[in-house]
CSV table of all heavy atoms in Angstrom, one decimal:
chain,number,residue,atom,x,y,z
A,298,LYS,N,4.1,-9.3,-13.8
A,298,LYS,CA,5.0,-10.3,-14.2
A,298,LYS,C,6.0,-10.6,-13.0
A,298,LYS,O,6.3,-9.7,-12.2
A,298,LYS,CB,5.8,-9.9,-15.4
A,298,LYS,CG,6.8,-11.0,-15.9
A,298,LYS,CD,7.6,-10.4,-17.1
A,298,LYS,CE,8.6,-11.4,-17.6
A,298,LYS,NZ,9.4,-10.8,-18.8
A,299,THR,N,6.4,-11.9,-12.8
A,299,THR,CA,7.3,-12.3,-11.7
A,299,THR,C,8.4,-13.0,-12.3
A,299,THR,O,8.3,-13.9,-13.2
A,299,THR,CB,6.5,-13.1,-10.7
A,299,THR,OG1,5.5,-12.3,-10.0
A,299,THR,CG2,7.5,-13.7,-9.7
A,300,ILE,N,9.6,-12.7,-11.8
A,300,ILE,CA,10.9,-13.3,-12.3
A,300,ILE,C,11.6,-14.0,-11.1
A,300,ILE,O,11.8,-13.3,-10.1
A,300,ILE,CB,11.8,-12.3,-13.0
A,300,ILE,CG1,11.1,-11.7,-14.2
A,300,ILE,CG2,13.1,-13.0,-13.4
A,300,ILE,CD1,11.8,-10.5,-14.8
A,301,GLN,N,11.9,-15.3,-11.2
A,301,GLN,CA,12.7,-16.0,-10.2
A,301,GLN,C,14.2,-15.8,-10.4
A,301,GLN,O,14.7,-16.2,-11.5
A,301,GLN,CB,12.3,-17.4,-10.2
A,301,GLN,CG,12.9,-18.3,-9.1
A,301,GLN,CD,12.3,-18.0,-7.7
A,301,GLN,OE1,11.1,-18.1,-7.5
A,301,GLN,NE2,13.2,-17.7,-6.7
A,302,SER,N,14.9,-15.2,-9.5
A,302,SER,CA,16.3,-15.0,-9.7
A,302,SER,C,17.1,-16.2,-9.2
A,302,SER,O,16.6,-16.9,-8.3
A,302,SER,CB,16.8,-13.8,-8.9
A,302,SER,OG,18.1,-13.6,-9.0
A,303,PRO,N,18.2,-16.6,-9.8
A,303,PRO,CA,19.0,-17.7,-9.4
A,303,PRO,C,19.5,-17.7,-7.9
A,303,PRO,O,19.8,-18.7,-7.4
A,303,PRO,CB,20.1,-17.8,-10.4
A,303,PRO,CG,20.2,-16.4,-11.0
A,303,PRO,CD,18.8,-15.9,-11.0
A,304,ASP,N,19.5,-16.5,-7.3
A,304,ASP,CA,20.0,-16.4,-5.9
A,304,ASP,C,18.8,-16.6,-4.9
A,304,ASP,O,19.0,-16.4,-3.7
A,304,ASP,CB,20.7,-15.1,-5.7
A,304,ASP,CG,19.8,-13.9,-6.0
A,304,ASP,OD1,18.6,-14.1,-6.4
A,304,ASP,OD2,20.2,-12.7,-5.8
A,305,GLY,N,17.6,-16.9,-5.4
A,305,GLY,CA,16.5,-17.1,-4.5
A,305,GLY,C,15.5,-15.9,-4.4
A,305,GLY,O,14.4,-16.0,-3.9
A,306,ASP,N,16.0,-14.7,-4.9
A,306,ASP,CA,15.1,-13.6,-4.9
A,306,ASP,C,13.9,-13.8,-5.9
A,306,ASP,O,14.0,-14.5,-6.9
A,306,ASP,CB,15.9,-12.3,-5.4
A,306,ASP,CG,16.7,-11.7,-4.3
A,306,ASP,OD1,16.7,-12.2,-3.2
A,306,ASP,OD2,17.4,-10.7,-4.6
A,307,ILE,N,12.8,-13.1,-5.6
A,307,ILE,CA,11.7,-13.0,-6.5
A,307,ILE,C,11.6,-11.5,-6.9
A,307,ILE,O,11.5,-10.6,-6.0
A,307,ILE,CB,10.4,-13.5,-5.8
A,307,ILE,CG1,10.5,-15.0,-5.5
A,307,ILE,CG2,9.2,-13.3,-6.8
A,307,ILE,CD1,9.3,-15.5,-4.6
A,308,ILE,N,11.7,-11.3,-8.2
A,308,ILE,CA,11.5,-9.9,-8.7
A,308,ILE,C,10.2,-9.7,-9.3
A,308,ILE,O,9.8,-10.4,-10.2
A,308,ILE,CB,12.6,-9.6,-9.7
A,308,ILE,CG1,14.0,-9.9,-9.2
A,308,ILE,CG2,12.5,-8.2,-10.3
A,308,ILE,CD1,14.4,-9.0,-8.0
A,309,ASP,N,9.4,-8.8,-8.7
A,309,ASP,CA,8.1,-8.5,-9.2
A,309,ASP,C,8.1,-7.2,-10.2
A,309,ASP,O,8.7,-6.2,-9.8
A,309,ASP,CB,7.1,-8.1,-8.1
A,309,ASP,CG,6.8,-9.4,-7.3
A,309,ASP,OD1,6.7,-10.5,-7.9
A,309,ASP,OD2,6.6,-9.2,-6.0
A,310,CYS,N,7.6,-7.4,-11.3
A,310,CYS,CA,7.5,-6.2,-12.3
A,310,CYS,C,6.1,-5.5,-11.9
A,310,CYS,O,5.1,-6.0,-12.2
A,310,CYS,CB,7.5,-6.7,-13.7
A,310,CYS,SG,9.0,-7.6,-14.2
A,311,VAL,N,6.3,-4.4,-11.3
A,311,VAL,CA,5.1,-3.6,-10.8
A,311,VAL,C,4.9,-2.4,-11.6
A,311,VAL,O,5.8,-1.7,-12.0
A,311,VAL,CB,5.4,-3.2,-9.3
A,311,VAL,CG1,4.3,-2.3,-8.8
A,311,VAL,CG2,5.6,-4.4,-8.4
A,312,PRO,N,3.6,-2.1,-12.0
A,312,PRO,CA,3.3,-0.9,-12.7
A,312,PRO,C,3.9,0.3,-12.0
A,312,PRO,O,3.8,0.5,-10.8
A,312,PRO,CB,1.8,-0.8,-12.7
A,312,PRO,CG,1.4,-2.2,-12.6
A,312,PRO,CD,2.4,-2.9,-11.7
Side-chain angles (χ1 to χ4, degrees):
K298 179 182 178 181
T299 293
I300 299 166
Q301 183 74 51
S302 179
D304 61 356
D306 280 357
I307 298 171
I308 304 298
D309 289 327
C310 301
V311 175

